C-alpha cells in the first residue's frame, strides 16, 4: 500500500509539473524608469558695454547641480546672437562671442559663430562638468592636443564698427539654449 501511495504521489507531482511545462506561452514583463537628467545653467548677467570697447569679459557659462548623467550623456549649449541695433537708427554694431580657457588664454580661444554649441561632458559620477570642454591642438601633449575647460565668455568688437555707428541707444541679446544630448 505504501508503494501504491508513493507511486500515486510521484505521478501526481509529475503531472502538476507537466501542466506548467506544457503551457503554450509564458512571458515575464520587465519595466524600468529612467529619471530625467537635471542641471542648472548659469549664464552671464545683463550688463552695459562701454562705447568703444574692443574686448570685454561678460562672465562664465557653467553648469551646477547636475544629476542623472553618464559618460556620453552630455549637455549641449547653443549660443545665438545678433548685432547691436537701435530703434530709429540704420546702423548696427556687430560683435563676436569668444569662449576662453584661462590657462591657455593666449592659445585657446573659441570664436563662437551664432548658432554654435559648447558641450558639457557627462561623467561616470552621474554629473556633467562645471565647465564645457573643447579639444584643441597643443604642443604640450604627445598626442598633439588636449581638452581645455571653457571658462570665460568674452564679447569682441572692431573699433571701425564703433566709429561707423550713428548716435542712439543700442541693445543686443545673447541666447543660451541648453539640451541633453547623447553621443
Amino acid at each position: 500500500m505504501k508503494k501504491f501511495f508513493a507511486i500515486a504521489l510521484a505521478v501526481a507531482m509529475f503531472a502538476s509539473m507537466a501542466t506548467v511545462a506544457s503551457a503554450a506561452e509564458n512571458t515575464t514583463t520587465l519595466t524600468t524608469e529612467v529619471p530625467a537628467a537635471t542641471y542648472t545653467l548659469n549664464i552671464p548677467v545683463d550688463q552695459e558695454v562701454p562705447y568703444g570697447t574692443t574686448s570685454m569679459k561678460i562672465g562664465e557659462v557653467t553648469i551646477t547641480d547636475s544629476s542623472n548623467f553618464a559618460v556620453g550623456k552630455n549637455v549641449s549649449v547653443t549660443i545665438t546672437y545678433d548685432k547691436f541695433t537701435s530703434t530709429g537708427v540704420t546702423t548696427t554694431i556687430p560683435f563676436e562671442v569668444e569662449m576662453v580657457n584661462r590657462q591657455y588664454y593666449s592659445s585657446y580661444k573659441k570664436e563662437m559663430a551664432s548658432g554654435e554649441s559648447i558641450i558639457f561632458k557627462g561623467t561616470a559620477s552621474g554629473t556633467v562638468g562645471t565647465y564645457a570642454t573643447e579639444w584643441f591642438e597643443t604642443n604640450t601633449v604627445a598626442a598633439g592636443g588636449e581638452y581645455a575647460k571653457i571658462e570665460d565668455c568674452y564679447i569682441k568688437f572692431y573699433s571701425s564698427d564703433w566709429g561707423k555707428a550713428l548716435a542712439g541707444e543700442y541693445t543686443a541679446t545673447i541666447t543660451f539654449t541648453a539640451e541633453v544630448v547623447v553621443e
Side-chain angles (χ1 to χ4, degrees):
M1 186 61 101
K2 283 183 179 182
K3 246 187 195 182
F4 174 74
F5 284 122
I7 291 173
L9 185 58
V11 169
M13 205 163 93
F14 179 73
S16 68
M17 285 189 222
T19 303
V20 172
S22 69
E25 208 176 287
N26 293 305
T27 62
T28 300
T29 302
L30 305 173
T31 62
T32 188
E33 184 173 334
V34 177
T38 61
Y39 58 91
T40 301
L41 176 64
N42 308 292
I43 62 171
V45 298
D46 294 348
Q47 49 202 286
E48 188 167 322
V49 178
Y51 172 77
T53 298
T54 56
S55 181
M56 178 178 163
K57 178 181 172 182
I58 61 170
E60 297 180 333
V61 179
T62 62
I63 288 187
T64 54
D65 305 319
S66 61
S67 64
N68 300 320
F69 285 91
V71 173
K73 186 176 186 179
N74 309 318
V75 175
S76 174
V77 177
T78 303
I79 300 172
T80 55
Y81 59 94
D82 205 353
K83 303 170 184 176
F84 275 81
T85 59
S86 180
T87 304
V89 178
T90 59
T91 57
T92 60
I93 307 168
F95 69 99
E96 298 171 355
V97 173
E98 188 173 71
M99 303 305 287
V100 176
N101 174 278
R102 289 180 205 138
Q103 179 181 358
Y104 301 106
Y105 183 80
S106 61
S107 62
Y108 184 75
K109 299 175 188 180
K110 179 178 175 134
E111 293 180 6
M112 302 289 297
S114 184
E116 277 194 274
S117 300
I118 55 176
I119 302 293
F120 293 80
K121 298 277 190 180
T123 67
S125 67
T127 63
V128 294
T130 300
Y131 295 99
T133 56
E134 185 76 21
W135 181 260
F136 76 109
E137 298 299 317
T138 67
N139 295 323
T140 60
V141 176
E146 62 185 287
Y147 280 98
K149 290 188 298 184
I150 298 175
E151 298 161 308
D152 296 326
C153 184
Y154 280 79
I155 53 175
K156 290 177 49 177
F157 300 87
Y158 293 100
S159 295
S160 59
D161 292 325
W162 285 111
K164 294 176 190 175
L166 297 173
E169 188 173 315
Y170 290 75
T171 59
T173 303
I174 302 173
T175 304
F176 300 87
T177 307
E179 68 177 322
V180 176
V181 296
V182 179
E183 291 178 359

